[in-house]
Amino acid sequence: SGGYVAGQDVLSFTNVGMGNIAGTYTNGVMSLSSEGGTATLAQWQAALRAVAYHNTSNDPSATARTLSYGVNDGVASGNTVTATVNVTAVNDAPTGTSHTITVDEDAPPSFSTPDLGAADAPAATPTLSPVVITALPAVGTLQLNGVNVALNAVIPVADLGALAYTPALNANGNSYASLGFQVRDSGGTANGGIDTSVNANTLTFNVTAINDAPEISVASLGGDYTEGLGSNPGAPVFLFDVLSIATGPFNESAQKLTQFTLTVSGLQDGANEVLLLANNVVQLTDGFSVVTSNANPEINNVAYSVSVSGGVATVTVTPTADSPLSAFVSLMEGLRYRNDNNGAIVPGTRV
C-alpha cells in the first residue's frame, strides 16, 4: 500500500496444505480466496504467513515498502494491519569480455575500458573501478607508467591510458601474445555482493608487421683529388669502405634492396665531374642516365640516373631485382670521384 514500484515489486503465494485457498496477484495486490468458504481459520492463518515479497530488479529502489493486510468474511471487511519491507541492494558481479586488438610492430598500445569488453550489471550503478591482471603476456612487456606490471596487479580505470603492452622488438604475428584480466566495480561486497567478475577474460594481441628501414654502415674515405697531367685525368678518389648493409632486422633478411641514392654537392665543372661505379662513368649532369654492362652478373644491368639542382647532383642507382646485398657492397666500395677538367678545374670541396 506504500512505496510500490511497478516492474520490481512482486507478492507470491504457494499453497501447501491450506485447503482450497488460491491467490492471484495484479499490480501490487495479492488476493486470496477460498471457493465456497471451506478453508479453516488455521488454513487462513497459514496462507497469510505464506505470502512473500520479492524484488525482481538488479537495481532496486531503496524506498521502504508498506504491505497492508485486510480480511473479509463475505459480508464485511475487518481491520487492516501493515508490515514494512526494507529493500537492500546487493552488488552484482561486473562482467568482462575476451577481446582481440591489433597493434603495429614496435608500437605499444594503451588501453581503455572498451578494450576489456567491460560492463556492469546494472549499467547505471555502480561504476567500473579497477582491472585485475590475472595472467601476464608470455612475450613482450606490460608496463604501467613505464614500470613492469606484476601478476595480480590492480590497475585503476583512470590509469588504463598509462598501461601499455610492447611486443618484443621487430616481432609480429596473429595471436602473438595475450593477457588475462578480471574487472572490478565500486559496489563492494556488503550483504553478499560481488565486486569482481567471476571468470577471467583474455585480451589477445595481433601484431601487424611493419617494414623496417634498411641500414648501411660505412667508413668515409674521401680525400684530395689531384688533376692529371696533360690530357690524362688524375687518379680517382675512393669514397667509401662499406662496413655492412642490411635490409632490416633478422626477420626481414630475405628482402632485397631495390635502390640507393647518392648526393654530390659543391659541383663546379659540369660534365667533367663524374662518379665511377663498377667501372661505369656517371656524369654528374642533369638528366644523365645509363644502364651498365658488366661481366659480373651481380652488378650487370644496373641503372643510373642523375638530376642536378642548385649545384647538388642526386644519383639514383637501381640494381636488378635479384641483386644480392653483396652487389650493393661492391658498388659502394667501388665508388670513386674523378674530375676530367684538366687545366681548368675549379677548386673546392665536393661532398
Side-chain angles (χ1 to χ4, degrees):
S1 61
Y4 170 71
V5 179
Q8 293 189 11
D9 297 333
V10 176
L11 296 176
S12 65
F13 168 72
T14 302
N15 186 328
V16 179
M18 303 169 194
N20 67 345
I21 297 175
T24 58
Y25 175 77
T26 304
N27 297 327
V29 178
M30 171 64 73
S31 298
L32 301 179
S33 61
S34 171
E35 186 175 354
T38 59
T40 67
L41 180 60
Q43 289 171 334
W44 275 110
Q45 290 175 333
L48 291 174
R49 295 190 187 99
V51 175
Y53 169 84
H54 303 276
N55 192 294
T56 61
S57 174
N58 279 325
D59 187 24
S61 167
T63 301
R65 276 55 162 189
T66 301
L67 278 68
S68 299
Y69 293 83
V71 293
N72 184 285
D73 63 5
V75 178
S77 297
N79 63 314
T80 299
V81 296
T82 61
T84 300
V85 175
N86 294 315
V87 179
T88 300
V90 176
N91 186 33
D92 293 275
T95 60
T97 303
S98 294
H99 188 52
T100 297
I101 61 176
T102 299
V103 301
D104 288 338
E105 174 185 310
D106 303 332
S110 57
F111 302 94
S112 62
T113 301
D115 290 327
L116 305 177
D120 209 355
T125 56
T127 58
L128 287 170
S129 189
V131 172
V132 182
I133 304 300
T134 60
L136 295 171
V139 289
T141 57
L142 183 67
Q143 294 186 320
L144 179 65
N145 290 316
V147 178
N148 288 347
V149 172
L151 184 65
N152 297 319
V154 179
I155 312 296
V157 166
D159 290 343
L160 284 179
L163 182 66
Y165 170 72
T166 305
L169 186 65
N170 299 315
N172 55 74
N174 288 333
S175 299
Y176 170 77
S178 63
L179 64 84
F181 68 93
Q182 290 174 288
V183 292
R184 185 173 293 170
D185 65 24
S186 61
T189 59
N191 301 302
I194 303 173
D195 67 352
T196 304
S197 56
V198 177
N199 299 312
N201 294 102
T202 301
L203 182 63
T204 301
F205 301 99
N206 291 339
V207 181
T208 302
I210 301 296
N211 187 39
D212 293 81
E215 294 184 356
I216 183 170
S217 175
V218 300
S220 180
L221 300 177
D224 296 327
Y225 175 80
T226 303
E227 71 178 64
L229 298 175
S231 60
N232 296 318
V237 177
F238 282 88
L239 301 182
F240 300 110
D241 182 14
V242 179
L243 302 181
S244 67
I245 297 179
T247 55
F250 69 93
N251 60 330
E252 297 179 8
S253 59
Q255 293 181 357
K256 301 286 187 179
L257 290 179
T258 59
Q259 192 177 82
F260 69 85
T261 303
L262 307 167
T263 59
V264 183
S265 61
L267 297 176
Q268 299 288 338
D269 294 322
N272 292 301
E273 300 195 69
V274 300
L275 293 179
L276 304 178
L277 292 97
N279 296 320
N280 295 282
V281 177
V282 178
Q283 294 180 356
L284 299 178
T285 55
D286 192 52
F288 179 86
S289 64
V290 65
V291 177
T292 66
S293 176
N294 195 286
N296 182 351
E298 290 187 355
I299 53 178
N300 188 35
N301 293 323
V302 177
Y304 302 89
S305 62
V306 181
S307 63
V308 179
S309 177
V312 177
T314 299
V315 182
T316 301
V317 183
T318 308
T320 61
D322 294 328
S323 295
L325 292 182
S326 58
F328 285 85
V329 174
S330 297
L331 289 171
M332 291 293 291
E333 290 183 339
L335 182 63
R336 293 159 290 163
Y337 170 84
R338 191 177 75 195
N339 193 315
D340 295 337
N341 197 21
N342 284 0
I345 290 178
V346 178
T349 299
R350 289 17 173 208
V351 179

